[in-house]
Amino acid sequence: MGVDPRSQKRSSHVASRPMRPVKLGPISVPTPVVLSPMAGVTNWPFRVICEEYGPDGLYVAEMITARALVARNPKALRLCRFAPSENVRSLQLYGVNPAIVEQAARIVVDEHMADHVDLNFGCPVPKVTRRGGGSALPWKTDLFAEIISRVVRVCEPADIPVTAKIRVGIDHEHETFLEAGRLAQDEGCAAVTLHARTTAEYYGGHSDWTRIAQLKQALDIPVFGNGDIWGADDALAMVEQTGCDGVAIGRGCQGRPWLFADIKHAFAGSAERCNPTLGEVCRVIMRHAELLTEFYDGDERMAVHDLRKHIAWYLKGFPVGGATRKSFMECESLDDVRCQIDRLDPSVRFPERVVDKPRGRVRFAKKVHLPYGWLDSRTTTHQERETLFGDDPMDASY
């Protein structure tokens, strides 16, 4: 269990020095803040809204399953879309089979899909880890190094930087982050992001920022810190306490895309923060709904259904009442959303009690799901590879 970073938060609310841009190969990230990939959240409509608040960060698409991309799965291809306004097209790939991940990377390069590729070695979800993927994979050092090596070999000639997202380890008896960070650096990664929790900790408790400091000390490439950044002051505190080169934002921006503006101001040494009224938040909701409609090729019903989880986050803390929230959840069209928005008082201020407070679900994993015998060795056996690289329905569709 990590130390609560909020208990050590600085009180000045401004950076002691402006943050330096981070270079990822040919890409410069002037404000070193990353929108972390989140399944079902970071499609291009949400990325565009976040980027409009903080236009010079890095906004990564939600995880693409390598086998699904190779199979030309329609949902995977939809998730690979980027808006014309996106400054850097960042795509995250997930896979266990190095050959399949390499094929997916080749598609990304040959079809000019992205400017930056991130590799997912941080997902703690059981359906991923039980296949040896996500945050379970760095335990197998041969597999971890091979995936990175193959993807870098494909992307390097196209001048596409490759980065990796990792966790501290499977649990505190099986930590991998320092070794994984060094391997990622040795195999050609341009940067590493560390979510400072183990797989076993899932999203519960507090992330242990001391691990980010350890990784930063161990590597020469940039290190981004991730975990428990709920406001700009948390981002400042993480940088001050760990020396990391930048921060990655996950659940903290759910329903609060303006967090990227707050962090941009904080990193520039300004105390300016966004405190939107309910009316301003509703304008964001409506814009989000319209962009999702475009994302779903004009299908308002699909767009509004996708929007529902975001509305719950946008309205968190506002005194709008359970009946209003239920009505939003029953919307089937853009007009339905407008109708509900028109019933709200636009002058209501953003509630202080939820400012810079945790967002999203705080979920604890009861156990870590791993392939049979996974922890017996740090390298894969021939039999393990045969099992892992077989047909995997979860890996081929969504």
Side-chain angles (χ1 to χ4, degrees):
M1 187 74 68
V3 176
D4 183 356
R6 301 182 65 83
S7 67
Q8 303 179 42
K9 190 191 299 184
R10 60 185 293 129
S11 59
S12 60
H13 308 296
V14 295
S16 56
R17 56 176 174 77
M19 289 290 291
R20 296 177 180 175
V22 169
K23 290 283 289 182
L24 304 176
I27 298 171
S28 178
V29 186
T31 300
V33 58
V34 177
L35 168 62
S36 288
M38 289 178 281
V41 177
T42 58
N43 50 31
W44 73 251
F46 186 67
R47 296 198 306 270
V48 164
I49 291 172
C50 291
E51 192 166 12
E52 287 173 348
Y53 280 101
D56 51 5
L58 195 64
Y59 303 85
V60 188
E62 60 183 286
M63 182 180 80
I64 307 296
T65 304
R67 192 185 295 274
L69 181 55
V70 170
R72 315 298 293 188
N73 176 278
K75 182 174 180 182
L77 294 175
R78 184 190 299 276
L79 295 177
C80 289
R81 295 180 188 173
F82 291 88
S85 63
E86 292 187 80
N87 292 327
V88 178
R89 298 170 303 156
S90 293
L91 198 66
Q92 187 184 69
L93 293 177
Y94 154 78
V96 176
N97 186 334
I100 297 297
V101 182
E102 180 181 2
Q103 288 181 50
R106 175 62 64 190
I107 291 172
V108 171
V109 170
D110 290 348
E111 299 184 17
H112 307 286
M113 284 184 171
D115 308 305
H116 159 238
V117 170
D118 187 54
L119 295 174
N120 184 301
F121 302 111
C123 181
V125 174
K127 75 174 183 178
V128 170
T129 60
R130 70 164 51 101
R131 292 289 307 172
S135 56
L137 198 146
W139 179 254
K140 300 295 189 180
T141 55
D142 60 325
L143 196 55
F144 180 76
E146 184 180 351
I147 289 174
I148 294 175
S149 175
R150 285 184 179 231
V151 173
V152 168
R153 187 169 64 239
V154 168
C155 292
E156 198 169 42
D159 220 9
I160 295 175
V162 177
T163 58
K165 173 77 176 289
I166 62 176
R167 281 194 171 224
V168 170
I170 292 172
D171 53 38
H172 289 302
E173 285 68 51
H174 302 88
E175 296 185 354
T176 55
F177 73 105
L178 288 174
E179 185 175 28
R182 293 187 185 103
L183 281 172
Q185 177 174 274
D186 291 345
E187 297 299 336
C189 275
V192 172
T193 298
L194 175 62
H195 184 150
R197 285 183 173 89
T198 64
T199 305
E201 290 170 317
Y202 215 53
Y203 295 103
H206 301 291
S207 60
D208 186 352
W209 292 358
T210 64
R211 304 314 182 90
I212 299 169
Q214 288 177 290
L215 188 61
K216 173 58 186 171
Q217 287 294 316
L219 302 185
D220 297 320
I221 59 176
V223 171
F224 287 85
N226 179 223
D228 294 346
I229 297 179
W230 310 113
D233 295 338
D234 294 323
L236 291 174
M238 177 182 280
V239 171
E240 184 177 79
Q241 293 172 30
T242 70
C244 64
D245 300 279
V247 299
I249 310 300
R251 293 171 296 155
C253 67
Q254 291 176 351
R256 294 188 299 194
W258 51 87
L259 176 57
F260 291 94
D262 288 347
I263 292 176
K264 180 179 180 180
H265 293 317
F267 279 0
S270 168
E272 180 181 351
R273 301 290 186 268
C274 295
N275 292 292
T277 62
L278 181 55
E280 290 164 342
V281 170
C282 284
R283 281 192 287 275
V284 176
I285 290 174
M286 200 64 238
R287 174 155 170 72
H288 199 162
E290 291 165 352
L291 291 176
L292 281 169
T293 301
E294 185 178 346
F295 176 75
Y296 286 110
D297 301 317
D299 190 327
E300 291 189 18
R301 185 172 182 274
M302 286 188 69
V304 172
H305 283 201
D306 191 327
L307 182 70
R308 288 175 178 176
K309 58 181 172 289
H310 293 279
I311 288 178
W313 294 326
Y314 281 126
L315 296 181
K316 183 179 175 65
F318 281 108
V320 297
T324 296
R325 296 175 193 277
K326 182 175 183 293
S327 295
F328 268 113
M329 295 304 106
E330 295 172 347
C331 289
E332 296 287 339
S333 67
L334 293 182
D335 282 343
D336 289 345
V337 176
R338 290 189 189 95
C339 180
Q340 295 306 318
I341 285 175
D342 288 344
R343 295 176 179 176
L344 299 177
D345 180 355
S347 66
V348 175
R349 303 300 305 176
F350 193 77
E352 281 292 325
R353 66 187 181 87
V354 299
V355 172
D356 294 358
K357 295 296 190 298
R359 314 285 286 184
R361 295 178 180 176
V362 177
R363 296 171 291 181
F364 295 83
K366 293 182 179 179
K367 62 175 291 187
V368 178
H369 297 263
L370 299 169
Y372 179 77
W374 190 250
L375 298 177
D376 293 346
S377 170
R378 295 302 308 276
T379 57
T380 52
T381 64
H382 177 72
Q383 184 176 356
E384 280 179 324
R385 287 199 168 217
E386 282 192 334
T387 302
L388 290 173
F389 302 164
D391 289 336
D392 178 6
M394 186 280 297
D395 204 20
S397 63
Y398 283 82

